[in-house]
Each structure stands twice: as C-alpha cells, then as structure tokens.
Amino acid sequence: MILPVKNYSNNILFAAKRNKQEKLENSQLQEEEGYLFVTNGGKRISKSELKKKQAIPVDNTFRNRAYIAWDKFSNAITMYPARGLKGSKNSNFYEFLTMGTVPYLTGSVMLMSVFNSVNKFFAQHKESKMASRFGNKMALGVLFYGLAKNISESFVTTPVKWFTGVDTEQPYVKLCYKLPERKDDGDTPSVEFHKVYESLEFPYWNLNYGDTSKGEPMNAYYDRVAKKLGLGSNLKDSDQDAKPRIKEIAVKANLAKTFSSYLWAAVGVGVALQQPWDDYFKVATLKFWQPKKFVKSIGVFLDSFADSFSAFVKGPEGSKGVKKYAGAILLGTAAAASLAGITNVLTSANKPSKLDSADIIEKDRKYVVN
C-alpha cells in the first residue's frame, strides 16, 4: 500500500493529501523508515527503488502473500468501489478483478449463516438441534473449501519450483501513475501486485534479468533454469533457450493446479461433514480472553479433525460398495491429479524443443534483412 509520491529536487517525499479521499488513497502504501514492508531476497524495498524501476519482484513467502492479500482485500472494500461508484477514470481492470473477492466472501458468509441465523426462532422444535448441527458443518465446509483450494495449489507449484527453478506464482509490486482528476493533481501513483506469469501470452520476462548495475549477471536466473532443465551450462543465450520451456511449464502448471485444487476443495468439504465434528461444536469458542476454554477448544478441534479425516477415508460404519470407499476414492483422485500434473510438467520440461534454429535457417541460402 503506497502513499502519493512527489518530487522535490532529488528527494522523494511520501505525504498525505489534504482531502479525505486522498488520505484514503494514501493507505495504499505502508512505510517504515523509507521502506516498503514487502521484501526481496531478505532486503526491504525502498520507495525510491520502486520509483526508479516501476516494477520489482518480491519473494514468494507466506508473509508477502499475506501482505498482498490484505492489501488487495482492504482496497477492494474501500478505495476501489469508491472510485467505481463515482465514475473515476482511474478505475481500471486490476481494481475490477480485485473486487471479485468481495462477492466471493460475502457469499461464503451467507452460506455459513443460512441455517444458524434462524435457529433461535425455532428453539422449541426438535428439528432445531439437527439444523444447528448441519449448519455448523456447512459453515465449516465453506471454510475448508476455501482453505483446501488455496493451500492445495502449492502441492503443484512448489514441487515444480524445486525441480525446474521456475516459480509460476512469482509476485511483483508495480508502481502505476494515475490520470489527474483535478487541476492541482500532481504525480499520484498507486501500487498494484501482479505475478510475473500472470499473462501466459506476455510474461513479464524483464523481471527475471539480473541488475548489471549491481554486478549481477544479466542471465543468472535463466542460467539456473536452463541447467535444471538439462539445457546445459554456460550457454551463450540461456534466456532465449529457456523462455519457451518456462512458458510451457507455466501453462501446464496452471492447468494442473486449477484442476487439482477443486478436487482438494471437495475433500475439504467431505471432511467437514463428518460426525466427529459434533464433539467440537459442543465446546467451540473464539473467546481467547478465556484461555482455558479457548485452549480446550483448540485441542478438541485437532482431535475432531483427525477423527473426521479418518472417518472420511474409511467411510460410514456398515456401509458397502461406493458409499464406503467414496471418500478414499476422492482423496486418491485429488492426490493423483496433483501428481499427474507435476509429472506432466517435469517430463515435458526436460524434452528438447521441437524446433531448432537449424530447422528454420538454411545455411546454404542467403538472407536479407530489411
């Protein structure tokens, strides 16, 4: 989240604007001694560095992912809707996509409360207790669906990164200048968070090159990737050799993670609907200011999760056929989908390119470049 930027000689000052709307936009940048909170290689990114380069890759760590997610969510419920409602010329496609999380979360809350919110009006009916149990499990299912879907994506992307050196989820922070909406508007930038391979047609290749001004080899990243992919070492143009393979890896990894993540999400819902969760709902509490009850609730949660997972895999007692093995089949299918996706990426990544320069250029012919 980045504050407005103004130039005074060689200094870059980040100051709040006068009116409330601009103060809200200022929340886009958190600052601490002139540095952004997102980090790159263990070093915090300075605001002046972002101002100079416009786009900088950041480490794909849990801390940075959480920071980016919070930045997008906070802006999606405050700044971005405000711009859209007033018809701002700076309301762009990035903001539109970011606001997509709002209806998703709103719908999730509605699903969680669809049973439990009306139970108090039917307290005297015997069905109320049953509805409450199902409502709690439904709410837990929505939560597990989202967690399993997002966490399971790393089941594909992390092994792919280990074996190929290509992080298909590599994020970067980008500085975008907004169009002036008033006469006294100066250079007012905003910060956007993207991924290097967000566009598979046009990946942001330039962010993979080293900074030669700091003594870094320009093709250091492509040298590492080319070596991992079996293309060889000390290549003259490792970037040109590796780019087609990297693009292929990104395409297949995205397909694998998307397909398998929904299967893992289904597993999460299945685990949430098991009978052992009833023990947890009897003692469940979020009152952390009551430490004994809260700690006990966490312990019962972990036990219920283990028992529910076991019940999901083993199937209902006394059941036979597909009903008994449905959970195990779904779990195995999800795991197989992730493994198949990884295998597909790795095997194709080590295959030689179908076309070589010798297949395109005939050495015995003359060529004229206009």
Side-chain angles (χ1 to χ4, degrees):
M1 294 186 283
I2 288 199
L3 289 175
V5 185
K6 285 188 178 181
N7 291 324
Y8 294 88
S9 65
N10 293 326
N11 297 321
I12 299 175
L13 301 181
F14 289 72
K17 288 286 187 179
R18 288 185 293 272
N19 58 55
K20 293 182 179 179
Q21 177 61 28
E22 289 172 334
K23 287 182 179 180
L24 180 61
E25 293 175 358
N26 290 343
S27 65
Q28 269 204 292
L29 183 136
Q30 291 182 353
E31 57 179 343
E32 181 181 285
E33 300 178 356
Y35 289 88
L36 300 181
F37 279 81
V38 288
T39 61
N40 181 22
K43 179 182 178 181
R44 290 187 297 175
I45 300 171
S46 67
K47 294 175 290 188
S48 58
E49 186 178 5
L50 182 59
K51 168 77 173 178
K52 179 181 178 181
K53 295 186 176 181
Q54 304 297 309
I56 298 177
V58 298
D59 290 347
N60 188 10
T61 62
F62 175 80
R63 179 183 178 184
N64 283 343
R65 290 195 299 270
Y67 173 89
I68 292 171
W70 173 249
D71 176 271
K72 288 185 173 182
F73 175 73
S74 60
N75 289 329
I77 61 176
T78 55
M79 185 190 309
Y80 297 163
R83 285 182 185 169
L85 289 172
K86 73 177 184 180
S88 171
K89 64 178 73 176
N90 291 302
S91 183
N92 56 27
F93 192 56
Y94 170 81
E95 297 181 2
F96 169 75
L97 292 178
T98 302
M99 286 190 290
T101 58
V102 176
Y104 177 83
L105 294 175
T106 303
S108 298
V109 172
M110 291 181 66
L111 283 173
M112 288 179 175
S113 61
V114 67
F115 278 82
N116 298 328
S117 60
V118 296
N119 273 349
K120 60 183 179 180
F121 299 109
F122 304 97
Q124 297 179 354
H125 292 265
K126 62 180 181 179
E127 290 83 1
S128 177
K129 189 174 182 180
M130 184 179 297
S132 179
R133 289 179 179 176
F134 184 78
N136 289 332
K137 290 180 181 179
M138 189 174 183
L140 195 63
V142 173
L143 178 63
F144 279 12
Y145 176 94
L147 290 174
K149 184 178 181 299
N150 286 278
I151 293 174
S152 62
E153 292 181 354
S154 63
F155 296 169
V156 173
T157 58
T158 301
V160 168
K161 180 181 178 181
W162 288 343
F163 290 106
T164 67
V166 179
D167 185 0
T168 58
E169 299 294 304
Q170 175 65 57
Y172 69 91
V173 55
K174 180 181 180 182
L175 191 65
C176 300
Y177 287 92
K178 298 186 294 183
L179 297 172
E181 298 188 21
R182 293 178 295 273
K183 292 182 179 180
D184 59 343
D185 281 349
D187 293 336
T188 307
S190 62
V191 167
E192 296 181 3
F193 294 98
H194 296 272
K195 296 179 181 178
V196 173
Y197 305 106
E198 189 172 76
S199 170
L200 296 177
E201 290 294 329
F202 304 100
Y204 205 153
W205 298 117
N206 289 349
L207 292 182
N208 290 333
Y209 288 104
D211 189 348
T212 55
S213 63
K214 296 182 179 179
E216 301 174 359
M218 179 173 289
N219 282 355
Y221 170 80
Y222 294 105
D223 289 340
R224 292 194 301 271
V225 172
K227 185 176 181 179
K228 279 182 172 288
L229 296 180
L231 298 176
S233 304
N234 300 320
L235 300 176
K236 184 177 181 181
D237 297 307
S238 58
D239 55 338
Q240 299 303 315
D241 293 326
K243 281 180 181 180
R245 310 288 184 83
I246 293 175
K247 187 174 181 180
E248 181 183 357
I249 290 170
V251 171
K252 294 190 175 184
N254 284 347
L255 175 63
K257 77 174 185 181
T258 301
F259 183 76
S260 63
S261 65
Y262 283 102
L263 291 172
W264 284 109
V267 171
V269 174
V271 172
L273 296 177
Q274 300 305 309
Q275 188 71 25
W277 286 113
D278 293 339
D279 296 333
Y280 168 69
F281 294 134
K282 293 177 182 178
V283 298
T285 180
L286 295 177
K287 298 178 180 179
F288 56 87
W289 55 88
Q290 297 178 356
K292 291 184 178 180
K293 292 183 178 180
F294 184 69
V295 172
K296 180 181 178 181
S297 175
I298 294 177
V300 176
F301 175 86
L302 296 176
D303 292 337
S304 298
F305 179 82
D307 294 339
S308 296
F309 186 83
S310 178
F312 172 74
V313 175
K314 294 179 179 179
E317 294 183 6
S319 59
K320 297 180 180 180
V322 177
K323 186 176 182 180
K324 180 175 180 61
Y325 300 105
I329 292 173
L330 180 57
L331 178 62
T333 302
S338 297
L339 183 60
I342 296 170
T343 303
N344 181 46
V345 172
L346 297 182
T347 53
S348 61
N350 286 285
K351 290 180 180 178
S353 299
K354 294 181 180 179
L355 291 178
D356 188 80
S357 59
D359 299 322
I360 303 173
I361 300 176
E362 298 180 20
K363 297 180 180 180
D364 58 345
R365 292 186 58 186
K366 294 182 179 180
Y367 295 87
V368 177
V369 179
N370 294 324

